[in-house]
Each structure stands twice: as C-alpha cells, then as structure tokens.
Amino acid sequence: MMIKIKILTFSFAFCFFSFAFAQEQPSSGELIGKCWAAHGKKDVEATFQYTQQLIDLYKDEADKQQASLKSLPKGDEIKKVAYLNDVATAYFIQGESYRNQDKKEEAIKAFKVVVDKYPFGQAWDPRGWYWQVAKASKEAIAQLEGKPIEVVQEPAKIKVSQLPTKIVLSDPGKEEFINYEKYGDFKNAGTSDYKYIVKDQAGLIQAAGEGVYPNTSAVRRDPEFKKALKEKRLEGSCWDFLLSPDLEAAFLKWATAAEPQGVKLFYTGFVLEKSGLIKEAIKCYYAVVVHFPGSYGWTYWHTPWYVGQAAIAKINYLLSNNPEIGYELKGAYVKIINGFDNDVSNDIVVTDPGKFVKVKAGVKEGSDKIRLCQAIEVKRQLGKGKVRLVQYKNDDWQLMVDGKPFVIRGITYAPTKVGESPDNATMTNWMENDFNENGKIDGPYESFIDKNKNNLQDEDEPAVGDFALMKEMGVNTIRVYHQPFEVNKELLRDMYNNYGIRVIMGDFFGKYAIGSGAAWNPGTDYNNEEQKKKMMESVLGMVKEFKDEPYILFWLLGNENVYGYACNADKEPDAFYKFANEAALAIKAIDPDHPVGICNGDVLFLDKFGKDAPDIDIFGANAYRGNYGFGSFWRQVKEEAGRPAFITEFGCGAYAEGKTLDEAEALQEDYHKGSWEDIENNMAFSAGAGNSLGGVVFEWLDEWWKAYEPSAHDTRPLWAGPFPDGYMHEEWLGVCGQGDGNLSPFLRTPRKSFEFYKKIWQSNKEEGEGGASEDQKEKIEDQK
C-alpha cells in the first residue's frame, strides 16, 4: 500500500512540474519581442539571454519548418512558420549585437547561420511588413567583409517586347457616355435606399460594350479572348495581371475575373485607362457608381477600400486631364456612414450617381483657383494670433499668416547620411552634422547638384545647400519633430530669415513610444495617467521652447498614431482623440498665436476625431492613394469634422519594377502631379471642397535605411499599394536622390518631380496667394 502511495505522489509531482514548466515556457513571439526590446536598449547581456533562450527552445521546430518549404512564404502562410521566423531573427539580432560591439568574426558567424540554415525566415517590421532575414544577413556580411552590397532587382515577369500593349475592343458599345435614364430608373438618389433599376437590359448591354456591366459575356466571345486562352496567356490569378505590360491579356483576365463586381469593374477600367481607352475606362468606373456604389476591397493593411468613392475620384481625374472629352461629372458622391473603422458590417451606403454634363472647351464652371480672402465675408476664425484660420460664408477655409492667405507648399526634410539607421542606433542629427569639419552644417549649406550624374563633385558643381535648393523649388514649409534629436534654433532661424521657409513643429505624442515613457511593446497607452502626464510635459515643453520663434507655422500632434505601431490609439481611438484635444487646449493656453493640427492615418476614425477633438484646428493625414489624388478625403473631413485639412505626407518612389530609372522618375512625377492638382482643386474658392490648406511632400531626399541595410539602395517592395508597379519602395521617395551614396550627405540628383514642383510652386508664388478680378469675384458670389 505504501509503495502505491509513493508512486502516486511522484506521478502527481511530475505532472505538476510538467504543467508548471509548460505554463512558464514563453512563446517564441513573446521572446522575440523581448529580444528586440533588449537590443534596442543596447543591453547586450539581456539580448543574448533572450535570443539564446529562444534558439534553445524552438530551434528544432524552426529546422522542421525550414525543411518543409520550397519557396519563400507569402501572405498568411508567413505566420504558419513562426518558429522559423523567430529563430532566424534571433540569430540576426545576435549578429547585429556583435556588429555593434565591433566583434566582426562573431557577427559574420551569426549572420551566416541565418543565410545557410534559415533562408526562408522573415521578420515582422512594426511599420507594417515582413522582411527577409537572410537577405539582410547577406548584406550585413558583405558590409563587414568590405565587399560591395549587391542589390538584386527582381526581373520583370513578362518580356515587354514580346507582348501586345494595346487593347482593341471587338464590341466597344454603342454609347460613349451611357444615358442610363434610357434603360432604367434611378430611385432614391442621395439616400441609403438608392437603386438603379434596369428596364431595358438588352439595350443597356449594347450601349455598354464588352467588359462594362451588365455586358459580362461579350468578352468570352471576343476572338482575342479565345486566342489568348490558346496561347496560355491568361493563366494565373487576375492580381498577377494587374500591372502586366500585356494589357490585352490583363483586360481579358479582369473582365472575366471572379472578383466582386465592383472590384472587377474598377480594375477593368484601370487596365483600359492604361491602354489609353479613357472613355471606355470612365464607363467602367461609372458602372461601379451606378450599380455597385457600396462595394469594397481590402488594402494591404486590411482596412476597407471603398470602390465607389475611388471610382468617382478616377472619373474626375480623367475628365480633368482629358479636357477634349468635354464632360464633367456633377453631383456624384458615395458616402459610407460608419465607414471610418475596419468593420464593414455596420456600413450604410448613401449614393447619388450624379450626371455627366457637357462643358465648353473642357473648362469646368467655377474652376478658377481664386484665393482672395477679401472676396467673401468671413464667417468665423480660429485663433487670434499672427497665424490663424478663417472660414468664409461659403464654408471655405484658408490659413492666414500676418493677415495674408498662406498655402502650405511643404516637404519632409530629414537628410540621412547613407549608412546611418535608427534600426542600429547610428542615425545622427542632420541639424548638427559637419562630416567634412569645415564649420558648416552639411545638408542645409553644403549639398551640391551632380549635374552629369557621375557621382563626383566637379568644378562646375559648387555647394549650394538644401535650403537654397528648396527655396528654388518653391518650398515654404518643412515638417520637423522636436524629438528625438535636439533642434538647432539658429539653423531654423536662418532658414526662415534667408530662405523664407517656415516650420510645422510636431510632437510624436506617444507614437513609437516616444514621449510617453512606455516600452515599445505594448507601446503607449492613452488611458495610462502616468504616460499621459509625460506626453503632456513633452508637448508643452515643445511649445514653451519654440512658441516665440518666428519660423513656427503651427503645432502638430502625432504621426498616424491610429495605425497603432507601439501605441494603442487604434484600439482606443476615443481615448487618443480626447487626450489630443486636452493637449490642444493646453497648447492654446500657452500660445494663442499658432493653431494646432493632428497627423492622422488617412481618414481612419475620422468620425471619432470630429466628435472627440473639437479644439484641434486642422485635420492632417498621411495619405497614399495614387496618382489621381485623394478622392473623397476633403469632403469627408468637411462633413465629419467641419475643419480645414492638409496632407501631412504623400509621395511615390522613383523606382518601379520593369521600368528604367528615367521611366520610374516620370511615373513619380505623374503621381505628384495628380496629388498636388487635387490639393489645389480643393482649396478655397476652387471647384472642390474648399477646405484644403496645402500639403507636405514626402520627401526631400532618399533614405537608404528604410529596407534595413542602410549602405544599400534597396529596390525591394515593402508593401502593396497604389503605386506604378503596385508596391511602395520606401528607399526611393525623395524628389532628390543621393547617387551611388559615396558622396552622401552632400550629393543631390534632383528628379523630374523636383522640376514639376519648381515650375508650379514658383508660378503660384509669383501670382501670390490672392488677387482676383471683378468678374472672378462675381463667380465666387455665384458659388455661394
């Protein structure tokens, strides 16, 4: 009996020990978070403690997952090999830590483990994408061994020269602009009960032409479709065809795709547009508005993308850029009630399809870019100081500086020397850098234009400095954060006094855990009183220090905090906006001379901003929507928040897969052109919403650190979006490049986008921010 009791006792003890061990064993995800946190603090002992613990616990599973793969996982498949990803990343962090300690051999050994054993491991970047750890390890090894870093460009999947690039429709339809009232009835336009009821299906099909709803079967009868099938040019996903140079195959594939009708129509129109069939593209886009206004897709960030709103923006863009068509779409809108969160289940769609109206010589009625504050009586103003906002009786807004209208022609200026990166704590302060030790700050005063692009400073290429170049471009504002580096006041005073450039001064307001004292993971908590106290101290410290500086334009809170990296604003948006409103009130109590703005992530939670932050004067947003502008952004801000707005960040890389660098530059210019024209079109007394204050281009200079190895100008795509090749190339966003990087931070190669802004901004500057003839004033009165 005693023996049995002892055995049972031992068994119970063993089970309890096993359970306790299982409970205490951290997951690989928990450990990798601790690894990064320790590495970020440069706590070498903790870094190796956590990385080695992770490797010891999960190496065997990582080996199995690596052995099971034949190619790099994509999409949701990445998360299924978490052990592989985390173990590979742990070795990478060890290599980085050794490199920071100047232990070259140990660093190379750690990086080689990743390259040799875990080539398919990927690490998550909190900015929103995965990166290949083995690739970053190869680049680190090359740098440590003093070898050139090979930047591998993915070859284009299709050879352009061997493929047709023009679409010839066998059935283009009988009407260029469909008269929908001939074939059915619009019911309840402007309400949530809107419907288009078709009465003559056959007639509408004939009017539409192939690919345009409801003509969904004609494409399959197209001889080119049968030919493409036979040639096996239509194999694969429709998404693989979206940016294909084989436009004929792309059209045939999308016109017969199994995607939701709204999405299918939009991208069919997109392909037709690329082929130069503008009227046919407009028919596709308008069919979305008529038949499927509430349709949606999902972005890379898994936020809803409302196709009807994008379709209207596309139509307006195409009609504006093709005035010979001679039409304007008037009165069309798609409003999504409850559409500012990520939950589509509660959406209510309000639609008015509007009408196409003929215009003389392609000139839109009321499209004069008039910015004369005296033309209309002021309804109200925000602020009483030298920088304030005015709203006119027609509800348009303007930013006023010293009593004159001011348009924000801004740029993000943070010139980074090639080889420096915040990821490895090597980034220095551009406001202090003097790498050639001649007593002058490098970027602002020592940069030069490499005219012949030979990556040398020739005798006819004197130093001119970025401040002078930005003034030449027409820049009047830069966006600066007072954290984490010290701000050089004398430098900014000189920039203002001698180059006429002002500063939007920002506080990160807890984003990236800056200013809150929180750890990166889980990040800033806007319900935490201690963290809120620290953030308020940071904000008010900024205001007290800079409020009397002549270059300050206004204050800016945050940087797309609602996207949630290292903070919980995406989970607790009400708490975030309410606290931001508290900060705005506290700022105004100290400084009544300058307005307060916020930097949002596009229009996410815009409705909550409107409700929770009534004392923030300006709604700003980082927005990357494509070369056709910002769509319903301006109207939404006006309706939901009743505030003026500006784009705090917008831009496009000067690199695109399958394009030459010259072609990619032209595509970057096209993106900027469409964006700025939309910004202008929505300024006061223009044709749009009237609440645009301007925008801030992102950015002045390419930053080579964005894709991890800061000594290589990487071409890797970081996230999918509305860009020339479908991807954001973060290291190529500058309107100026840095050549081959060897003369960084001095060498500049201005791109076509620089020349575009130089032309349009200087022209606007010469015209002044106001001034109107008597007949223009009459037009303004008519618009009221």
Side-chain angles (χ1 to χ4, degrees):
M1 189 71 177
M2 288 291 294
I3 294 174
K4 287 184 179 179
I5 291 173
K6 285 182 180 180
I7 292 173
L8 287 170
T9 303
F10 175 78
S11 298
F12 176 80
F14 178 79
C15 290
F16 179 82
F17 174 77
S18 300
F19 176 76
F21 179 76
Q23 288 291 96
E24 291 173 3
Q25 179 174 314
S27 69
S28 66
E30 291 171 332
L31 284 173
I32 203 63
K34 292 179 179 180
C35 294
W36 279 121
H39 181 56
K41 294 176 182 177
K42 295 187 177 180
D43 185 339
V44 174
E45 182 179 351
T47 296
F48 280 90
Q49 175 190 335
Y50 290 127
T51 53
Q52 199 57 50
Q53 183 183 7
L54 193 157
I55 291 166
D56 291 342
L57 285 173
Y58 297 106
K59 180 179 178 299
D60 291 343
E61 290 298 325
D63 291 345
K64 291 177 185 177
Q65 289 181 347
Q66 173 63 45
S68 70
L69 297 172
K70 294 182 180 180
S71 61
L72 192 70
K74 296 181 180 180
D76 293 338
E77 296 299 316
I78 300 174
K79 296 178 182 178
K80 295 180 180 179
V81 289
Y83 297 133
L84 164 62
N85 297 332
D86 293 339
V87 169
T89 305
Y91 277 114
F92 179 83
I93 293 172
Q94 287 188 350
E96 287 283 281
S97 184
Y98 281 129
R99 180 159 67 166
N100 292 345
Q101 299 171 64
D102 293 323
K103 294 182 178 180
K104 177 179 173 181
E105 291 184 6
E106 291 90 337
I108 291 174
K109 184 177 178 182
F111 288 132
K112 282 188 173 178
V113 172
V114 181
V115 174
D116 296 339
K117 295 197 66 177
Y118 306 111
F120 295 149
Q122 297 176 79
W124 172 250
D125 187 303
R127 290 171 289 181
W129 53 79
Y130 283 96
W131 50 279
Q132 194 175 350
V133 187
K135 190 174 188 300
S137 297
K138 285 180 183 178
E139 292 171 349
I141 292 168
Q143 186 184 50
L144 288 165
E145 292 179 341
K147 298 177 181 178
I149 297 172
E150 182 183 1
V151 178
V152 180
Q153 177 182 340
E154 292 291 332
K157 296 176 182 176
I158 302 174
K159 294 181 180 178
V160 179
S161 60
Q162 297 179 2
L163 294 171
T165 58
K166 187 176 180 181
I167 301 169
V168 179
L169 298 175
S170 64
D171 177 13
K174 291 186 175 181
E175 296 183 19
E176 288 186 337
F177 283 81
I178 300 172
N179 183 358
Y180 279 95
E181 292 177 341
K182 282 172 56 179
Y183 310 107
D185 294 327
F186 291 105
K187 297 289 187 181
N188 305 312
T191 74
S192 59
D193 294 323
Y194 161 79
K195 286 181 181 179
Y196 176 69
I197 300 174
V198 180
K199 291 186 173 180
D200 181 1
Q201 180 89 345
L204 182 57
I205 287 173
Q206 289 180 351
E210 63 180 312
V212 181
Y213 186 87
N215 194 340
T216 55
S217 59
V219 175
R220 297 186 182 277
R221 297 192 299 271
D222 189 326
E224 295 303 323
F225 177 77
K226 296 174 182 178
K227 180 181 176 184
L229 277 178
K230 187 176 181 180
E231 294 171 347
K232 297 184 177 180
R233 285 165 46 216
L234 302 182
E235 293 181 352
S237 165
C238 58
W239 296 102
D240 295 333
F241 285 76
L242 190 57
L243 296 161
S244 168
D246 186 352
L247 295 175
E248 182 180 74
F251 167 73
L252 297 171
K253 188 71 179 182
W254 268 100
T256 56
E259 296 293 324
Q261 281 288 356
V263 175
K264 173 180 171 178
L265 275 168
F266 184 90
Y267 285 115
T268 302
F270 176 77
V271 176
L272 288 166
E273 177 188 339
K274 286 178 66 179
S275 187
L277 299 176
I278 304 302
K279 293 177 182 177
E280 289 78 3
I282 290 172
K283 282 205 287 186
C284 271
Y285 293 138
Y286 194 58
V288 176
V289 181
V290 171
H291 299 287
F292 310 103
S295 57
Y296 59 86
W298 294 97
T299 69
Y300 174 89
W301 312 99
H302 204 67
T303 57
W305 167 64
Y306 293 104
V307 186
Q309 294 177 343
I312 291 172
K314 272 285 191 181
I315 293 167
N316 291 332
Y317 169 77
L318 291 175
L319 291 175
S320 176
N321 283 272
N322 296 275
E324 70 281 0
I325 293 176
Y327 275 90
E328 176 184 359
L329 179 60
K330 298 199 73 170
Y333 66 86
V334 175
K335 181 177 181 179
I336 312 293
I337 298 172
N338 304 321
F340 298 108
D341 56 21
N342 295 328
D343 180 8
V344 297
S345 66
N346 61 355
D347 289 352
I348 300 171
V349 183
V350 178
T351 305
D352 190 326
K355 287 186 178 181
F356 286 100
V357 177
K358 285 187 177 182
V359 292
K360 293 181 180 179
V363 178
K364 290 184 180 180
E365 181 182 351
S367 63
D368 299 286
K369 304 289 195 299
I370 306 165
R371 295 180 290 275
L372 182 65
C373 63
Q374 292 88 351
I376 286 185
E377 182 183 343
V378 173
K379 178 180 177 180
R380 65 168 172 155
Q381 67 178 22
L382 300 179
K384 300 177 181 178
K386 61 182 179 180
V387 183
R388 63 185 187 275
L389 294 145
V390 297
Q391 186 180 29
Y392 301 102
K393 263 192 160 183
N394 70 343
D395 289 331
D396 286 3
W397 287 92
Q398 281 186 318
L399 181 66
M400 307 294 287
V401 178
D402 294 326
K404 297 179 182 178
F406 186 95
V407 172
I408 301 167
R409 296 190 291 270
I411 200 157
T412 299
Y413 183 74
T416 304
K417 188 179 188 296
V418 168
E420 293 185 351
S421 171
D423 295 334
N424 53 30
T426 58
M427 187 172 285
T428 54
N429 188 354
W430 67 265
M431 292 194 190
E432 298 176 349
N433 287 339
D434 180 17
F435 289 107
N436 57 5
E437 299 180 348
N438 67 349
K440 296 180 181 179
I441 298 173
D442 296 331
Y445 301 122
E446 295 278 89
S447 66
F448 71 94
I449 293 180
D450 182 16
K451 297 176 185 176
N452 56 10
K453 298 185 179 180
N454 66 350
N455 292 294
L456 297 171
Q457 186 172 10
D458 300 316
E459 290 185 4
D460 64 340
E461 297 171 344
V464 290
D466 288 337
F467 287 172
L469 290 173
M470 288 193 290
K471 180 181 179 180
E472 179 186 344
M473 179 175 151
V475 172
N476 65 9
T477 310
I478 66 170
R479 176 182 164 203
V480 170
Y481 284 86
H482 77 108
Q483 315 134 304
F485 295 114
E486 185 175 348
V487 173
N488 185 333
K489 293 182 180 179
E490 290 297 327
L491 177 69
L492 297 184
R493 286 172 191 159
D494 182 67
M495 179 184 73
Y496 171 69
N497 290 327
N498 291 310
Y499 303 94
I501 300 173
R502 296 177 181 269
V503 175
I504 297 171
M505 182 68 75
D507 184 286
F508 281 111
F509 208 59
K511 183 65 182 290
Y512 319 114
I514 295 175
S516 67
W520 178 276
N521 188 11
T524 300
D525 180 354
Y526 293 97
N527 289 306
N528 184 298
E529 293 302 323
E530 185 62 30
Q531 292 179 25
K532 287 165 65 176
K533 180 181 177 182
K534 289 180 180 179
M535 284 186 281
M536 190 68 83
E537 288 173 353
S538 176
V539 168
L540 298 186
M542 169 188 72
V543 176
K544 290 172 184 176
E545 183 176 0
F546 296 101
K547 68 183 180 67
D548 296 321
E549 294 294 329
Y551 47 77
I552 294 295
L553 185 62
F554 57 81
W555 311 108
L556 192 66
L557 297 175
N559 182 45
E560 58 185 32
N561 298 47
V562 290
Y563 285 159
Y565 313 135
C567 72
N568 74 344
D570 60 329
K571 300 177 185 65
E572 298 285 346
D574 287 304
F576 167 68
Y577 289 124
K578 286 177 181 177
F579 180 54
N581 198 66
E582 289 178 31
L585 287 170
I587 290 171
K588 292 176 182 182
I590 297 172
D591 175 30
D593 274 344
H594 302 98
V596 181
I598 197 166
C599 178
N600 209 63
D602 210 290
V603 292
L604 191 59
F605 304 122
L606 174 62
D607 51 344
K608 293 183 181 296
F609 166 81
K611 173 173 62 78
D612 294 331
D615 298 292
I616 293 179
D617 305 306
I618 304 168
F619 182 82
N622 295 353
Y624 296 84
R625 295 196 180 189
N627 67 344
Y628 55 96
F630 305 96
S632 56
F633 172 86
W634 310 103
R635 178 182 57 78
Q636 289 174 326
V637 175
K638 197 168 188 177
E639 291 177 355
E640 294 290 334
R643 243 69 62 88
F646 78 115
I647 306 298
T648 44
E649 234 184 69
F650 68 97
C652 171
Y655 176 86
E657 182 192 348
K659 303 292 183 182
T660 66
L661 291 181
D662 191 62
E663 289 170 336
E665 271 195 37
L667 291 168
Q668 182 193 43
E669 179 190 22
D670 177 66
Y671 190 107
H672 279 283
K673 180 176 181 291
S675 297
W676 186 258
E677 286 177 349
D678 186 60
I679 287 169
E680 273 200 333
N681 192 50
N682 285 280
M683 289 180 184
F685 315 124
S686 292
N691 61 338
S692 166
L693 304 180
V696 181
V697 171
F698 197 87
E699 59 184 327
W700 172 251
L701 191 67
D702 287 349
E703 296 179 280
W704 287 31
W705 61 269
K706 292 289 183 70
Y708 312 108
E709 179 45 65
S711 296
H713 203 185
D714 211 306
T715 59
R716 74 183 68 179
L718 294 182
W719 50 275
F723 304 105
D725 66 353
Y727 292 96
M728 167 62 92
H729 297 276
E730 291 258 3
E731 294 198 358
W732 295 78
L733 284 168
V735 297
C736 291
Q738 299 202 61
D740 65 5
N742 288 324
L743 288 185
S744 177
F746 305 103
L747 184 145
R748 303 287 182 265
T749 55
R751 295 186 169 124
K752 289 179 171 64
S753 51
F754 173 94
E755 297 298 331
F756 162 74
Y757 284 114
K758 179 180 175 181
K759 180 180 178 181
I760 193 167
W761 281 356
Q762 286 292 1
S763 173
N764 289 347
K765 195 173 182 181
E766 289 168 7
E767 292 172 4
E769 303 299 350
S773 63
E774 289 303 315
D775 62 332
Q776 286 174 325
K777 291 181 184 180
E778 288 177 9
K779 286 184 180 180
I780 294 174
E781 291 298 326
D782 291 341
Q783 289 178 45
K784 290 198 293 181

